[in-house]
């Protein structure tokens, strides 16, 4: 068996650093947080915030932006060229798009999250590379952390420049550090006189890295675990693009490997306090990751339009392919899921704008759930479109056919499940919050390091909490509201209410059954999170359909049908997840997975050409300092 490379003390150090960076304090209301505790707080999602921004200045800007996309942004050409045309970058600057969320007092457009979400949805329906450019800059690049954590001096210096079009990037990932940023190796050593820091190290996969003027860089003090965030100008001596990086999709993104050699950062360019860098990075991502769920809704709408029209246009075996039941079922699912994805995204964007709301869990759920649904939906669009789905746009165009590239959409969409918090990390993050209240109350009892005396002392408090909370979950069922106002959808809402109480009980049962080992039971925890995601999506979908009815919208009846179709499928998924919580093959599959990892099934790989790989050869290494520079631009 191969020697494990990460020692237990490293694992626990990573956890401790991540835990220290976690926002432990809950800063207001939270729909999903309550759901994990068995409370369906319908007031947080109903009445559903139907109204998108009607601010005249915003609508006028959005119309100009849409015209610009139609006239200047050709997604197939951008994909083919693997670069942004200078006219597109200039046009975005002229529109002020790099200052969308920068407050007006610093020269930006001052959009709120709902408005920004509307822009991202429109953009996501058209071009994923430009979406990545603006989202990496605006959602996680310099403007967000600077506005939230920077000094007034720093804001005055940089935000107007950003609003005028200085592109920025977010540099956290390194070759050896991906999902576990607490172990990053880039260092920032403070000078003896305290006037500046010296930055050394390298960063990987920095979106906008080859064209950015400004970077937010996470680096640690050389002798400690303290990670800080710095605003670094790309033109400063010692900042180098060592490689321009290229991907399966998002072909035009200007992504870079960066190197920092003795970069002198003025002390004033520290963002927030020293040692707060990881917290700044994580909390930037908390809201920053709301751009993706909006963008993939746009993509889903385009895929739905193509699937619907193609399924009606294409005749095989004597009828339109959409009339064959297998395809009709796909169309139903695509439409219902698109309605649900939009309900989730719009709700999450609007909750983020609500004063006193803690958006962490909804942002993670919206990011994870919408990106997974979008990937499945695009796969179905590819299947409905048949061979033409797999054919590149240029090839379709050359044959005189309508050039819509499902293959490009799929290539572009896959990364959404990996960056800005991979699906697995989003599950872990939500699971951590799900058990948080229980850990707060009963953590001592399941902590193997806690002395027996302290455990015994904690017992009465723990017993008092659960003696009230647990029966309360059952009792609430006796007086659960009927939700008659929701008509035919009320039955689904009652299901959500019952399931939320069951969810809370299962979280508790898991804590009792697995104790301190619960965090290693990812199969169990991830199913709980999947249940919560489905319940959130159902709630948003039902509330949205009801709001359309209440508003007398012409599409109200159609929306109800889609909400019903979605909820039926979602209920089946939830029932299966609950069933499989305690009746599954996780133990056996985990044993097999470990056997595969240890090479005991490597025999199975014989008979192919073989890649000649070794674990040692694949292990990433910190790049050498003397890599040749590449000219920026
Ligand atoms: C196109 C592109 C653009 C990017 N842009 C940026 C950017 O602008 N700035 C930036 O800083 N980074 C950026 N990234 C990096 C991106 O955020 C990382 O790829 C992501 O964080 C995952 O890290 P990793 O690829 O090293 O995967 P790893 O962390 O090595 O993980 C490998 C796999 O293991 C899973 N995994 C890891 N830990 C656990 C766990 N504890 N439990 C269960 N599963 C686990 C992961 O989900 C993943 O499936 C970009 C990457 C790409 C490809």
């Amino acid at each position: 068996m191969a020697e494990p490379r990460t020692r237990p003390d490293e694992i626990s150090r990573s956890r401790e650093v991540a835990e220290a960076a976690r926002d432990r304090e809950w800063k207001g209301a939270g729909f999903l947080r309550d759901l994990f505790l068995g409370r369906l707080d319908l007031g947080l999602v109903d009445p559903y915030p139907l109204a998108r921004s009607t601010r005249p200045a915003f609508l006028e800007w959005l119309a100009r932006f849409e015209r610009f996309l139609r006239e200047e942004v050709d997604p197939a050409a951008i994909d083919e060229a693997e670069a942004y045309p200078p006219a597109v970058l200039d046009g975005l600057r002229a529109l002020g798009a790099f200052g969308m969320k920068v407050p007006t007092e610093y020269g930006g457009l001052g959009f709120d999250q709902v408005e920004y979400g509307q822009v991202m949805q429109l953009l996501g329906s058209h071009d994923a590379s430009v979406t990545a450019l603006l989202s990496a800059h605006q959602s996680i690049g310099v403007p967000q952390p600077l506005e939230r954590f920077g000094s007034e001096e720093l804001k005055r210096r940089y935000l107007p420049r950003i609003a005028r079009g200085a592109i920025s990037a977010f540099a956290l990932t390194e070759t050896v550090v991906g999902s576990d940023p607490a172990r990053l190796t880039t260092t920032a050593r403070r000078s003896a006189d305290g006037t500046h820091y010296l930055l050394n190290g390298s960063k990987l996969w920095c979106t906008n890295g080859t064209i950015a003027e400004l970077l937010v860089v996470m680096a640690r003090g050389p002798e400690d675990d303290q990670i800080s965030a710095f605003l670094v100008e790309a033109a400063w001596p010692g900042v180098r693009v060592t490689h321009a990086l290229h991907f399966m999709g998002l072909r035009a993104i200007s992504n870079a490997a960066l190197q920092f050699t003795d970069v002198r950062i003025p002390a004033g360019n520290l963002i927030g306090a020293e040692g707060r860098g990881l917290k700044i990075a994580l909390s930037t991502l908390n809201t920053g990751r709301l751009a993706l769920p909006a963008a993939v809704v746009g993509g889903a709408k385009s895929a739905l339009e193509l699937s619907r029209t193609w399924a009606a246009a294409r005749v095989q075996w004597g009828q339109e392919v959409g009339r064959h039941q297998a395809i009709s079922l796909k169309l139903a699912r695509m439409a219902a899921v698109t309605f649900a994805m939009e309900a989730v995204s719009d709700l999450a964007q609007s909750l983020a704008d609500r004063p006193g709301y803690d958006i962490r869990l909804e942002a993670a759920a919206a990011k994870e759930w919408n990106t997974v649904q979008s990937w499945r939906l695009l796969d179905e669009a590819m299947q409905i479109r048949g061979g033409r789905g797999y054919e590149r746009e240029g090839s379709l165009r050359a044959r005189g056919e309508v050039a819509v590239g499902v293959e490009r959409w799929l290539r572009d969409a896959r990364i959404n499940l990996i960056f800005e918090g991979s699906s697995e990390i989003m599950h872990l993050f939500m699971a951590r919050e799900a058990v948080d209240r229980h850990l707060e109350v009963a953590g001592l009892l399941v902590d193997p390091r806690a002395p027996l005396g302290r455990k015994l002392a904690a017992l009465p408090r723990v017993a008092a909490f659960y003696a009230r909370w647990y029966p309360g979950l059952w009792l609430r069922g006796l007086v659960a509201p009927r939700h008659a106002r929701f008509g035919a959808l009320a039955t689904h809402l009652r299901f959500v209410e019952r399931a939320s109480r069951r969810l809370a009980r299962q979280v508790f049962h898991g804590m009792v059954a697995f104790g301190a080992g619960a965090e290693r039971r990812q199969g169990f925890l991830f199913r709980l999170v999947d249940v919560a995601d489905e319940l959130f999506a159902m709630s948003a979908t039902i509330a949205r359909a009801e709001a359309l009815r209440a508003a007398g919208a012409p599409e109200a009846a159609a929306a109800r049908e889609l909400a019903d179709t979605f909820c039926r499928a979602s209920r089946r998924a939830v029932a299966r997840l609950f069933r499989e919580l305690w009746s599954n093959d996780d133990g056996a599959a985990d044993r097999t997975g470990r056997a595969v990892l240890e090479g005991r099934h490597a025999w199975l790989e014989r008979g192919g050409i073989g890649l000649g790989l070794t674990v040692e050869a694949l292990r990433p290494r910190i790049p050498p300092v003397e890599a040749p520079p590449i000219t920026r631009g």
Side-chain angles (χ1 to χ4, degrees):
M1 176 186 160
E3 191 195 329
R5 304 300 302 183
T6 312
R7 298 195 322 274
D9 56 331
E10 278 185 56
I11 298 176
S12 72
R13 211 191 94 215
S14 282
R15 274 207 206 106
E16 276 159 23
V17 178
E19 192 61 16
R22 192 171 77 90
D23 260 329
R24 226 158 306 144
E25 224 176 282
W26 203 257
K27 293 189 193 75
F31 180 82
L32 274 164
R33 180 202 50 174
D34 283 356
L35 210 65
F36 279 120
L37 289 169
R39 289 195 299 257
L40 174 67
D41 189 347
L42 205 56
L44 292 174
V45 301
D46 174 70
Y48 184 87
L50 268 189
R52 294 184 152 202
S53 176
T54 50
R55 205 163 56 85
F58 170 72
L59 293 180
E60 190 269 324
W61 186 90
L62 194 66
R64 276 201 294 139
F65 186 63
E66 183 171 345
R67 214 165 37 244
F68 168 76
L69 292 183
R70 284 186 197 286
E71 290 168 6
E72 304 289 338
V73 179
D74 177 345
I78 288 179
D79 180 68
E80 199 96 337
E82 304 202 357
Y84 301 115
V88 168
L89 295 179
D90 291 345
L92 290 170
R93 281 197 185 95
L95 279 160
F98 293 103
M100 264 188 277
K101 287 188 81 189
V102 172
T104 47
E105 74 243 48
Y106 300 103
L109 296 173
F111 293 172
D112 62 19
Q113 187 64 37
V114 166
E115 292 171 334
Y116 181 58
Q118 268 176 264
V119 177
M120 283 296 137
Q121 179 174 317
L122 181 69
L123 192 51
S125 72
H126 192 60
D127 189 291
S129 286
V130 178
T131 306
L133 162 72
L134 285 183
S135 160
H137 162 79
Q138 185 69 81
S139 305
I140 57 175
V142 175
Q144 266 327 79
L146 176 56
E147 202 220 316
R148 290 191 54 201
F149 303 99
S151 66
E152 191 50 41
E153 212 290 285
L154 213 54
K155 288 186 205 178
R156 296 225 166 271
R157 187 136 47 95
Y158 286 106
L159 286 177
R161 188 167 152 192
I162 289 166
R164 286 196 300 274
I167 298 173
S168 73
F170 174 82
L172 177 64
T173 305
E174 301 178 357
T175 43
V176 291
V177 180
S179 304
D180 175 15
R183 296 197 308 149
L184 62 81
T185 61
T186 297
T187 57
R189 183 191 299 270
R190 191 148 45 138
S191 63
D193 62 2
T195 57
H196 64 273
Y197 294 85
L198 271 192
L199 181 70
N200 281 287
S202 55
K203 294 285 177 181
L204 185 66
W205 295 327
C206 187
T207 300
N208 298 345
T210 62
I211 53 172
E213 281 179 44
L214 305 173
L215 312 164
V216 52
V217 181
M218 309 315 148
R220 66 173 352 112
E223 287 95 26
D224 56 30
D225 272 346
Q226 302 272 310
I227 295 170
S228 303
F230 298 92
L231 200 168
V232 174
E233 298 201 23
W236 284 346
V239 180
R240 289 196 315 173
V241 172
T242 52
H243 298 88
L245 308 173
H246 305 282
F247 302 95
M248 162 184 174
L250 301 184
R251 291 266 167 94
I253 61 170
S254 312
N255 193 289
L258 299 174
Q259 196 159 78
F260 307 108
T261 315
D262 288 338
V263 179
R264 223 179 129 93
I265 310 175
N269 278 38
L270 172 74
I271 302 178
E274 223 173 46
R276 303 271 296 172
L278 197 54
K279 206 165 199 135
I280 289 172
L282 298 183
S283 74
T284 298
L285 280 164
N286 273 340
T287 38
R289 61 171 61 99
L290 277 171
L292 276 181
V296 297
V297 169
K301 283 174 183 273
S302 298
L304 185 59
E305 181 185 341
L306 174 66
S307 304
R308 171 180 60 80
T309 47
W310 173 250
R314 178 68 165 172
V315 175
Q316 291 289 286
W317 307 89
Q319 58 181 347
E320 294 90 342
V321 291
R323 295 200 180 276
H324 297 295
Q325 196 189 37
I327 303 298
S328 155
L329 295 179
K330 286 190 204 305
L331 290 174
R333 188 180 145 70
M334 287 175 76
V337 163
T338 302
F339 182 75
M341 284 167 64
E342 191 169 28
V344 164
S345 172
D346 283 2
L347 177 63
Q349 316 291 338
S350 111
L351 288 173
D353 277 336
R354 199 180 284 193
Y357 195 90
D358 197 323
I359 194 62
R360 275 176 282 167
L361 287 184
E362 286 72 18
K367 192 274 174 185
E368 196 280 322
W369 195 81
N370 272 21
T371 56
V372 169
Q373 299 305 321
S374 122
W375 174 249
R376 290 186 190 147
L377 183 142
L378 292 175
D379 189 42
E380 296 201 316
M382 161 86 73
Q383 196 65 19
I384 292 174
R385 184 87 161 123
R388 286 166 181 80
Y390 196 67
E391 190 172 358
R392 297 197 62 167
E393 282 149 308
S395 173
L396 284 164
R397 192 177 303 109
R399 294 197 296 108
E401 293 215 23
V402 173
V404 183
V406 183
E407 63 86 27
R408 172 169 56 79
W409 293 346
L410 268 169
R411 281 192 279 111
D412 286 344
R414 188 58 183 83
I415 187 61
N416 294 334
L417 284 69
I418 297 172
F419 62 11
E420 296 192 17
S422 72
S423 293
E424 290 77 14
I425 297 304
M426 291 298 85
H427 274 88
L428 281 179
F429 173 75
M430 290 183 68
R432 177 68 187 79
E433 297 298 333
V435 297
D436 197 51
R437 180 77 181 113
H438 296 286
L439 284 180
E440 231 174 70
V441 178
L444 261 182
L445 296 191
V446 296
D447 183 351
R449 291 170 305 183
L452 185 64
R454 285 189 65 204
K455 288 188 184 198
L456 288 176
L459 254 182
R461 189 173 50 88
V462 176
F465 174 81
Y466 286 108
R468 237 190 3 260
W469 179 79
Y470 195 83
L473 287 180
W474 292 102
L475 292 174
R476 237 180 293 146
L478 300 174
V479 290
R482 307 290 302 158
H483 300 299
R485 176 166 58 88
F486 291 83
L489 299 179
T491 169
H492 300 313
L493 205 50
R494 291 198 294 273
F495 174 89
V496 173
E497 206 273 332
R498 284 195 304 278
S500 69
R501 283 181 286 111
R502 188 170 173 193
L503 174 68
R505 286 198 302 274
Q506 297 302 339
V507 173
F508 173 68
H509 293 169
M511 286 271 300
V512 172
F514 306 129
E519 65 176 307
R520 287 192 301 277
R521 303 275 179 160
Q522 293 191 342
F524 182 85
L525 292 174
F526 284 22
R527 285 185 189 93
L528 290 176
V529 170
D530 286 338
V531 167
D533 284 353
E534 291 294 332
L535 299 182
F536 178 50
M538 280 176 77
S539 308
T541 305
I542 295 166
R544 182 178 177 211
E546 167 57 18
L548 287 168
R549 186 201 62 76
E555 65 273 30
R560 251 180 143 64
E561 180 182 352
L562 292 182
D564 182 58
T565 303
F566 172 73
C567 288
R568 284 167 186 267
S570 191
R571 284 174 66 163
R572 284 186 195 283
V574 168
R576 199 191 61 245
L577 286 162
F578 273 136
R579 223 174 21 249
E580 291 179 358
L581 269 179
W582 300 101
S583 169
N584 57 56
D585 302 315
D586 288 1
D590 194 20
R591 278 193 296 282
T592 306
R594 282 163 199 268
V596 171
L597 191 66
E598 289 156 14
R600 281 192 275 135
H601 293 299
W603 58 270
L604 188 60
E605 295 154 16
R606 291 198 292 268
I609 193 147
L611 301 174
L613 298 176
T614 64
V615 173
E616 207 41 54
L618 280 178
R619 187 159 290 129
R621 288 174 179 80
I622 299 172
V625 179
E626 54 288 340
I630 286 185
T631 319
R632 303 182 62 85

